[in-house]
Amino acid sequence: MTEPRDIRIKRLKMRSMRRGIKEMDLILQAYAERTLEDMTPETLDLYEALLEENDQDLYKWVTGQIETPPPYGALVDEIARTFQP
C-alpha cells in the first residue's frame, strides 16, 4: 500500500521536529515547514533518507564542520543556507 502524499508530508514534518538534539529539531522543523509541500517525490525520498542519519552528523554537515557525504550535499547546502545570517 502506498502512503498518500499528504500523510507522508505530515509524517516527515513530525520526524523533522522530533529528533535527538534540540538544534536539529529547530533547524529541520523550520526547513520542513517551508519546503516539504513543494518537494518532488524524489526529493522527499532523499529528505526521508537524510532523517535516518545521526543527529550529531547532521548538525556537523549543516554547520559545515565536516563535509556532507553524497548524495546529501545539495540538500544539506539548501538546509544550511536557510539558517545563515
Side-chain angles (χ1 to χ4, degrees):
M1 186 167 113
T2 318
E3 183 177 39
R5 181 178 172 84
D6 62 326
I7 300 298
R8 183 180 192 193
I9 289 172
K10 286 178 185 177
R11 180 176 55 78
L12 291 176
K13 284 180 180 180
M14 181 63 73
R15 287 189 60 208
S16 296
M17 62 185 267
R18 304 277 178 159
R19 303 294 307 162
I21 60 174
K22 190 63 170 176
E23 293 85 356
M24 288 313 302
D25 289 350
L26 297 171
I27 291 168
L28 292 177
Q29 179 182 6
Y31 178 77
E33 286 295 328
R34 284 193 294 268
T35 61
L36 290 187
E37 297 286 341
D38 296 326
M39 283 186 180
T40 65
E42 295 79 19
T43 307
L44 284 173
D45 290 343
L46 184 61
Y47 184 73
E48 188 164 7
L50 181 75
L51 292 178
E52 294 294 325
E53 297 293 336
N54 179 288
D55 264 2
Q56 286 76 21
D57 292 337
L58 281 173
Y59 186 74
K60 289 177 184 177
W61 299 341
V62 169
T63 59
Q65 295 177 37
I66 60 174
E67 186 175 335
T68 305
Y72 304 122
L75 180 57
V76 169
D77 287 347
E78 182 181 338
I79 294 168
R81 278 192 306 273
T82 305
F83 296 97
Q84 292 178 354

